[in-house]
Amino acid sequence: MMKQLIYILVLITNFGFAQNNAKKQFDDANELYRKEKYTEAIQKYESIVTKDKLESAELYFNLGNCYYKLGKIAPSIYNFEKALLLNPNDEAIETNLHFAQKMAIDDIKVVPEVGFSNFIYKIIAVYSYNTWAWIAVSFSIFFLLFFIGYYFSSRTITKRIFFVGMFVLLAFIIISVVFAFLEKRFEKTIRPAIVFEEVVNVKSEPRTASENTFILHEGTKVYVKETLDNWKRIQLTDKTEGWIKKEAIKELKE
C-alpha cells in the first residue's frame, strides 16, 4: 500500500514538473515568435508536443503561424487543422487556415454532402462524444429529480406533469447516448490527413507499378479510408479515390 502511495505521489510530482516545464517552454517559444525567430520557436513548441506529450489549440495555432511565416505549407496547414480539431469554433484558427490553404497548389472541389444522414451528422458534430455523454448525465439527474417529484407529489396534476416530464427526459437521455456513440464512431472512422510530400503520385492500386491516377501536392487535405501494408487508400473532398504511400501523408488523428 505504501509503495503504491509513493508511486502515485511520484507520478503527480512528475506531472506537475512536466506542466511547469511545458509552460516555461511555451512562454519562451512565444517570446522567440515575437522576435521573429520562427525556427527556434518551432523547436520549443514541437518539444512540448513530443517530449512533454502535451497539446492545446493555442500550441498548434502558434506552430501553424510559425510554419506559415517560414512558407512551409504542409506543416502550417497540418497544425492549423490540429488546432481546429481541439477548438472547432475558433474564427482566428479558421482564418489563418484559410490563408495557409491558399498557398497549396491543388484546388480540390468540395462535393457537398446531402440527405438526412448528413443532416444528422451535422447535429451530432456540434459536440464531442464526451460532451454528449455529459449531456446524457445531466438529463439523468433531471430524470431522477422528476421521479422524486412524482413519487412525493400528492396532487394529481403535479404527478401527471412529473410523469410526462420523466418520459421526455428519458427520450433526451437515449438520444444523447446514441449521439455520443455515433460521434465516437465518426471520430474513429473519419481520418483526415495532410499531404507532406512536395509532389506525390496517387495510384489506382496499392502497388508501385500500378497506374498513376492523379498527382497531389503538399498541403492537400485527404481522408484515409483504408490501410494496406505500406499503402493507404485515400479520398479527396471531391470523392476521388486512390492509393498513396503512407509516408507521403500525416494523419491528424494519430
Side-chain angles (χ1 to χ4, degrees):
M1 183 65 180
M2 182 60 70
K3 288 183 178 180
Q4 291 176 339
L5 182 60
I6 292 172
Y7 179 71
I8 292 172
L9 289 173
V10 169
L11 282 178
I12 294 172
T13 302
N14 288 340
F15 179 75
F17 177 77
Q19 290 274 56
N20 291 333
N21 181 62
K23 186 180 183 306
K24 185 181 184 304
Q25 288 267 78
F26 187 72
D27 291 339
D28 290 344
N30 289 342
E31 183 61 28
L32 288 168
Y33 178 83
R34 283 190 287 270
K35 293 178 179 179
E36 300 184 2
K37 297 180 179 180
Y38 303 121
T39 303
E40 293 91 332
I42 286 171
Q43 292 173 352
K44 288 191 176 291
Y45 286 134
E46 293 283 10
S47 176
I48 297 172
V49 177
T50 56
K51 293 183 180 180
D52 297 319
K53 306 297 181 183
L54 298 174
E55 59 179 13
S56 69
E58 187 179 3
L59 172 59
Y60 286 121
F61 178 69
N62 290 359
L63 258 174
N65 285 329
C66 285
Y67 282 117
Y68 179 80
K69 293 290 187 179
L70 294 174
K72 296 185 177 181
I73 303 171
S76 174
I77 292 174
Y78 175 84
N79 283 286
F80 285 140
E81 290 278 8
K82 290 282 285 186
L84 207 58
L85 283 175
L86 295 174
N87 192 359
N89 301 314
D90 192 295
E91 292 184 2
I93 298 173
E94 290 181 346
T95 300
N96 287 21
L97 173 60
H98 179 68
F99 281 120
Q101 288 171 335
K102 284 185 175 181
M103 295 194 299
I105 295 175
D106 298 322
D107 184 19
I108 312 298
K109 293 182 179 179
V110 178
V111 177
E113 299 283 351
V114 294
F116 181 73
S117 59
N118 182 60
F119 173 73
I120 294 296
Y121 170 72
K122 285 185 176 180
I123 295 175
I124 295 172
V126 171
Y127 300 115
S128 67
Y129 61 87
N130 282 330
T131 303
W132 282 118
W134 278 111
I135 289 173
V137 170
S138 301
F139 281 132
S140 300
I141 294 172
F142 281 110
F143 178 85
L144 178 61
L145 294 175
F146 268 64
F147 174 78
I148 294 171
Y150 169 79
Y151 186 82
F152 288 102
S153 181
S154 57
R155 297 178 61 187
T156 304
I157 184 65
T158 308
K159 274 184 172 294
R160 287 180 180 176
I161 292 172
F162 280 123
F163 186 75
V164 172
M166 284 166 56
F167 276 94
V168 172
L169 287 167
L170 182 61
F172 281 126
I173 291 169
I174 294 172
I175 291 171
S176 301
V177 171
V178 171
F179 280 9
F181 171 77
L182 291 175
E183 177 61 19
K184 181 67 174 178
R185 186 178 176 184
F186 291 145
E187 181 77 15
K188 290 182 178 180
T189 56
I190 299 177
R191 298 163 55 192
I194 303 298
V195 176
F196 264 69
E197 284 196 8
E198 188 175 351
V199 182
V200 59
N201 290 315
V202 181
K203 303 287 185 176
S204 58
E205 298 177 6
R207 296 184 297 109
T208 304
S210 65
E211 180 185 356
N212 293 334
T213 306
F214 50 91
I215 296 174
L216 291 179
H217 301 83
E218 64 173 321
T220 301
K221 186 176 182 178
V222 301
Y223 292 89
V224 178
K225 310 299 288 186
E226 181 184 356
T227 301
L228 182 62
D229 297 329
N230 198 40
W231 294 86
K232 290 181 184 288
R233 181 168 64 88
I234 60 168
Q235 184 181 77
L236 305 182
T237 53
D238 64 358
K239 304 305 178 184
T240 306
E241 292 192 3
W243 291 87
I244 194 171
K245 285 286 186 72
K246 69 177 185 180
E247 60 266 20
I249 62 175
K250 190 173 181 180
E251 290 195 44
L252 290 162
K253 300 176 182 177
E254 296 178 350

